[in-house]
Amino acid sequence: MEDIRSVIITGEGSAFSAGGDIDFLLDRRNFSVEENTKVMKQFYSRYLTLRDLKVPTIAAINGPAVGAGMCIAMACDLRIASKTAKMSLNFVKLGIHPGLAATYFLPKVAGSQTAAYMLMTGAMITGEKAKELGIVLETCEKEGVADRALQIAREIAYSSPVAVQAVTSTL
């Protein structure tokens, strides 16, 4: 792990992530509170390991990032998006409270007013709008998202790994 200077997360194909498994969530109705607590703690524990990484994480949002998929992007240190990527934290449209720390990460990244708007409306926005709102660092054409994320990763790699890890752990 000491040779790794950053981690880039992106989607395969045309989407970053279309979100969580709705059937999994619906199936939770068939289990006790105790069982659901155990299962969801395990799930969140795996998800939050992203924040335990000692190196910066970069989300290369190459296409739609919706619900839980958008939360994964929000948990990263930096986000680069396709100008046309569709993004939404659509939990309220599904009748559920936002999960995966959306109510923590979005206000931290984009401020409380933007977070309130996005989380209370479930609005679908483009990568360009996300940049305007401060949700992503920058946008580019879809074909260039991975390359731009790699450029940033290289910039990070030229910096002192000890200093970068210290900054990462204190942000």
Side-chain angles (χ1 to χ4, degrees):
M1 177 81 177
E2 59 193 48
D3 292 338
I4 297 172
R5 300 291 188 94
S6 62
V7 172
I8 298 172
I9 297 173
T10 193
E12 184 177 358
S14 62
F16 179 79
S17 175
D21 182 348
I22 298 300
D23 290 335
F24 168 79
L25 291 175
L26 292 174
D27 193 42
R28 302 305 341 134
R29 295 179 297 188
N30 300 318
F31 295 91
S32 69
V33 171
E34 294 79 18
E35 179 62 21
N36 282 333
T37 299
K38 178 182 171 189
V39 167
M40 294 311 289
K41 278 185 177 180
Q42 290 171 346
F43 174 78
Y44 271 85
S45 171
R46 286 189 301 272
Y47 162 71
L48 290 173
T49 59
L50 179 61
R51 296 303 310 158
D52 292 336
L53 295 175
K54 304 222 183 303
V55 296
T57 53
I58 304 168
I61 306 169
N62 58 318
V66 180
M70 183 66 174
C71 289
I72 290 170
M74 295 306 304
C76 290
D77 298 301
L78 300 167
R79 285 158 299 285
I80 306 300
S82 160
K83 292 178 181 180
T84 58
K86 302 292 187 205
M87 303 171 162
S88 177
L89 292 158
N90 63 336
F91 297 96
V92 295
K93 290 189 175 186
L94 300 172
I96 58 177
H97 183 276
L100 297 171
T103 57
Y104 171 77
F105 288 120
L106 189 56
K108 182 177 177 185
V109 167
S112 61
Q113 184 165 264
T114 294
Y117 170 72
M118 293 293 296
L119 294 167
M120 291 177 184
T121 66
M124 182 74 71
I125 61 172
T126 64
E128 282 290 313
K129 184 66 174 179
K131 179 172 182 340
E132 186 182 310
L133 294 172
I135 296 170
V136 301
L137 175 66
E138 59 186 71
T139 61
C140 56
E141 297 303 322
K142 181 176 185 161
E143 302 78 28
V145 171
D147 287 340
R148 182 61 184 130
L150 281 168
Q151 287 175 342
I152 292 171
R154 285 186 189 103
E155 290 176 39
I156 292 168
Y158 287 124
S159 298
S160 161
V162 172
V164 169
Q165 287 176 12
V167 169
T168 300
S169 69
T170 57
L171 282 177

